[in-house]
Amino acid sequence: MVGDLESKLFAVLFLLSTAQAGNTGRLSGHRCADFQTANILRGSKLKVQFLLFTSSSPSCGELILADDDIKKSSFNSSLETKIIIHGFRALGTKPSWIEGLVHAILHTSQVNVIAVDWVYGSTGAYPSAVENVTQLALSISQFISKLLALGVSGTSIHIIGVSLGAHVGGLVGHFHGGQLGRITGLDPAGPKYTRASPEERLDPGDALFVEAIHTDADNFGIRIPVGHIDYFVNGGKDQPGCPRFISAGYKYLICDHMRAVHLYVSALKHSCPILAFPCASHQDFLNGHCVDCVDPFLFSCPRIGLLEQAGVEMRKLPKEVKVYLMTSTSAPFCVHHSLVEFQLQTKRNVVTSIEITFCSNSTNDSAKITIPKLQVMGKQLLAHRVPLCQINSVTLKYLPKNKFWRKDESSIVGKFCAAQLPLDSNRTMSCLPWNITLPGNTNVSYELPATCA
Ligand SMILES: *[C@@H]1O[C@H](CO)[C@@H](O)[C@H](O)[C@H]1NC(C)=O
Ligand SMILES: *[C@@H]1O[C@H](CO)[C@@H](O)[C@H](O)[C@H]1NC(C)=O
Ligand SMILES: *[C@@H]1O[C@H](CO)[C@@H](O)[C@H](O)[C@H]1NC(C)=O
Ligand SMILES: *[C@@H]1O[C@H](CO)[C@@H](O)[C@H](O)[C@H]1NC(C)=O
Ligand SMILES: *[C@@H]1O[C@H](CO)[C@@H](O)[C@H](O)[C@H]1NC(C)=O
Ligand SMILES: *[C@@H]1O[C@H](CO)[C@@H](O)[C@H](O)[C@H]1NC(C)=O
Ligand SMILES: *[C@@H]1O[C@H](CO)[C@@H](O)[C@H](O)[C@H]1NC(C)=O
């Protein structure tokens, strides 16, 4: 019965689509193709499928059979091509994020989007999915060779690989001599790859520009840099807004790992810039030691998204540069980073802690400045959701360290300054224009003298 109904529906859809296609005839007889579903028992063949999505039909996949003539499809060889490769699929199902990513790409740019469906080869156990990677990479390479034969330029090809798919992208790039345009790895897989040789995993030699977004480096993601630019989001390990306890089940397991995909999709859909800053470590970044992009990027900070070379204007990019950024807990994830500083009038014998809160009409965002004992200066990065110039007031709270054998000073005096990153050599900090007194455990609010540029 159901099958009957389905075939009737298809007949109706077929008539509608031929009617609409009119005299262009391009889509006549074509119905939307989708990912396959593999169950574990049947998952012993790769059965790679290439699904084409274009701006004129972002929701309707067009199946391009490996031996089919691509010329007959709506593939437009004068446009750039994005190839999406998913990773391990435990249950052999279509990745839930595919549609969102395809739509986000086609929302921003007129390109050919090819989603590679290797659901069959990616299911079952993770090690067997890994074993299939080389053969998969070969099929994708053959597919790309056909595109090149049509006159498509290698530099116009951009592979976006998720998890294991990032290393597949690396292999494909390797097979093409590192001459494809770009590879983006979204939390490239860690297990079985951290100690692999660069030939076996994604590495900066695999394309003219290779970037990776790391969000779960302590679990499913890889902890080493694998591109020209490696974004370590919130340090690259644990993401804000993700459950921290196993009781949250599946969501706990994959939330950090999948954040790279959600962040990327969000960066394509929203205009707020997601910038990152080169630094030696996340701790150094948080401590305010990395406030610009002068070294090594000559002033242009990398931005997550589709800008050419991530917006870094350099002829030859250095390799494996680790860049750091913070995000908010949910989409659109972008925050502004400000350096906040407090300089004590006189140094103290104990560590000094001051809580700083930026308040706008709709947000309160905080960070804690710690001034080491016998020093006068404390620095910290504060992530805030509205630009500094929209911050109405800053609240400072001195947190005395009262121990039962010694009472800390009841107040401190010093100078407070803040500046939004990137803090290039000519940018000056906005300071509260006097030496302020902060009584213990009391909120003191000031207007911040920062104006929008
Ligand atoms: C291919 O894309 C180019 C550039 O956008 C456009 O001018 C051309 O009409 C497209 N060709 C087809 C067949 O859609
Ligand atoms: C994928 O790997 C599994 C496990 O090694 C193997 O059984 C299967 O044949 C592979 N599939 C292909 C198409 O090579
Ligand atoms: C602020 O403190 C510094 C350091 O003690 C001092 O040199 C300066 O004169 C003070 N400024 C004001 C306005 O009190
Ligand atoms: C914040 O609220 C005040 C008073 O309601 C208003 O005048 C101001 O424009 C608001 N600022 C922003 C950035 O929305
Ligand atoms: C921010 O904090 C202040 C002081 O605690 C509070 O009055 C205000 O409602 C908060 N605003 C938001 C948007 O949470
Ligand atoms: C610094 O200021 C000079 C002169 O105003 C300007 O030419 C230069 O571009 C500025 N540098 C940066 C990084 O903004
Ligand atoms: C101080 O400000 C913070 C942040 O706005 C707020 O959470 C806290 O409740 C305030 N504390 C007091 C004692 O007002």
Side-chain angles (χ1 to χ4, degrees), residues 359-364:
C359 306
S360 76
N361 283 2
S362 55
T363 57
N364 280 341

Side-chain angles (χ1 to χ4, degrees), residues 240-286:
C242 281
R244 292 271 72 89
F245 300 101
I246 189 110
S247 53
Y250 189 60
K251 202 163 187 314
Y252 160 84
L253 286 176
I254 63 156
C255 181
D256 290 337
H257 192 42
M258 293 320 294
R259 177 61 62 84
V261 178
H262 298 307
L263 184 63
Y264 194 68
V265 168
S266 186
L268 301 186
K269 286 200 332 210
H270 299 274
S271 58
C272 58
I274 304 185
L275 295 178
F277 303 87
C279 204
S281 74
H282 187 49
Q283 202 54 52
D284 279 2
F285 179 60
L286 292 181

Side-chain angles (χ1 to χ4, degrees), residues 145-226:
S145 297
K146 282 182 198 163
L147 299 184
L148 299 179
L150 283 180
V152 168
S153 76
T155 52
S156 73
I157 293 178
H158 176 187
I159 297 176
I160 301 168
V162 175
S163 185
L164 195 51
H167 298 301
V168 177
L171 274 178
V172 173
H174 183 69
F175 293 153
H176 287 276
Q179 294 305 302
L180 298 181
R182 182 174 189 167
I183 300 175
T184 302
L186 301 179
D187 209 33
K192 292 197 174 285
Y193 284 96
T194 306
R195 276 178 288 277
S197 71
E199 289 75 40
E200 294 170 290
R201 59 161 169 85
L202 182 60
D203 80 278
D206 291 333
L208 300 176
F209 177 51
V210 179
E211 62 186 342
I213 299 178
H214 301 267
T215 54
D216 193 23
D218 55 347
N219 221 326
F220 296 125
I222 198 162
R223 47 185 167 73
I224 56 171
V226 293

Side-chain angles (χ1 to χ4, degrees), residues 408-446:
D408 200 350
E409 282 164 83
S410 62
S411 69
I412 55 170
V413 179
K415 185 170 166 120
F416 174 80
C417 296
Q420 192 168 313
L421 268 48
L423 187 54
D424 297 336
S425 43
N426 340 0
R427 290 267 303 276
T428 51
M429 302 191 79
S430 309
C431 300
L432 298 179
W434 56 83
N435 289 336
I436 53 179
T437 302
L438 302 179
N441 290 317
T442 310
N443 282 340
V444 187
S445 290
Y446 296 93

Side-chain angles (χ1 to χ4, degrees), residues 89-149:
R89 303 295 310 157
L91 300 175
T93 51
K94 173 184 179 174
S96 58
W97 45 263
I98 283 277
E99 273 156 26
L101 180 55
V102 169
H103 278 239
I105 293 171
L106 291 173
H107 169 78
T108 46
S109 40
Q110 259 227 326
V111 294
N112 306 294
V113 178
I114 308 271
V116 180
D117 165 4
W118 67 292
V119 160
Y120 271 84
S122 67
T123 190
Y126 179 77
S128 59
V130 171
E131 278 175 41
N132 289 340
V133 154
T134 311
Q135 200 192 331
L136 170 67
L138 281 169
S139 326
I140 298 173
S141 294
Q142 282 163 7
F143 181 82
I144 289 177
S145 297
K146 282 182 198 163
L147 299 184
L148 299 179

